[in-house]
Amino acid sequence: MRQFTSVADVPDVQAMIQEALALKANPFAFQHLGKNKTLGLVFLNPSLRTRMSTQIAAQHLGMQVITLNADKDGWALEFQDGAVMNGATVEHIRDAAPVLGSYCDVIGVRCFPGLQHRETDDQEHIMRQFIRYTGKPYVSLESATLHPLQSLADAITLTENRPKHRPRVVLSWAPHIKPIPHAVANSFAEWMNRMDVELVITHPEGYELNPAYSGTARVEYNQQKALEGADFVYVKNWSSYRDYGKILPQDPSWMLTLSHLNATNQARVMHCLPVRRNVELSDEILDSPASLVQEQARNRVFAAQAVLKQLLEKN
Ligand code: CP
């Protein structure tokens, strides 16, 4: 594996989950792997979990870590080829990325979508340039379309809490006050489509995800019907993909509360965090034993560690 940008980069999903669980049991077993190696983390957008969990994962493997908050501390980057740079941007990615590549052995970048131009976001214009011009093994810290480190942590959490039967997993859209990217929802769908689960996606009409990621998962517009018999409910907001980046008229009753869980199979509730309490998910769920959100966040460390281990071993 040279890059980790999608589940498509992972040859064996189950093996990677088992590797992460082994690292969770023995985090310092591979300290030698990262000796004299540097991980460069570049954030074009804010982060709490991704930043800290990836740094801890690298430290477990003996790596040095440098973090650049490019949205605050770096020069304003230009990504358009042929740009006449007489405006706000100061440094072209063609110049900045090779410098990063010369300093670091592995590069991670967070680059959210603009949510203005669907084609540009779908083509992962920014991520592709970082991969190309750094020339180093690459881990996505969330891109315009996908968040694979989050999904691997979700897959680990689901495996640890899996019932004996093939679980029904429901991805349930939630209200939000701002237009939110599709990356977590897309990514969760494509990872679940590679696992032995039944995936149902529920959202109001108009919030259909890009079928490139949702695949053959059943879409159910009636949330209560979708929740029937669910073993896991993954709550997440996303903006419209059809009316790209827009918030359509919202029904606040889509916020998950304990009463929504009555029809489920005592479902455990998941969310990637950060969560808008009492908008996306009620306090009563987040503070109840049904919630898996803290387990998901903790597993971000071992997801990142499994990925970094493979990038170090294979390159
Ligand atoms: N879930 C997640 O990626 O959290 P951060 O945005 O805080 O990194």
Side-chain angles (χ1 to χ4, degrees), residues 28 132 180 224 229 231 268 275 287 302 314:
F28 299 103
R132 180 173 176 191
I180 298 293
Q224 205 51 43
D231 298 291
R268 308 300 301 277
V275 62
D287 299 331
F302 307 104
K314 304 276 193 292

Side-chain angles (χ1 to χ4, degrees), residues 46-51 110 142 147 150 272-274 300:
S47 169
L48 186 159
R49 279 144 291 270
T50 306
R51 176 195 311 268
R110 166 164 282 198
E142 185 170 344
H147 194 358
Q150 179 65 53
C272 62
L273 301 180
R300 291 293 306 271

Side-chain angles (χ1 to χ4, degrees), residues 39-56:
L39 171 66
L41 300 177
V42 180
F43 286 88
L44 277 68
N45 313 97
S47 169
L48 186 159
R49 279 144 291 270
T50 306
R51 176 195 311 268
M52 296 188 72
S53 62
T54 309
Q55 180 155 349
I56 293 164

Side-chain angles (χ1 to χ4, degrees), residues 23 29 37 59 64 90 94 128 146 165 175 203 293 315:
L23 290 166
K37 303 274 187 191
Q59 288 167 354
Q64 301 292 319
V90 177
R94 283 175 177 260
R128 297 280 155 227
L146 293 169
H165 60 268
H203 53 72
V293 301
N315 293 284

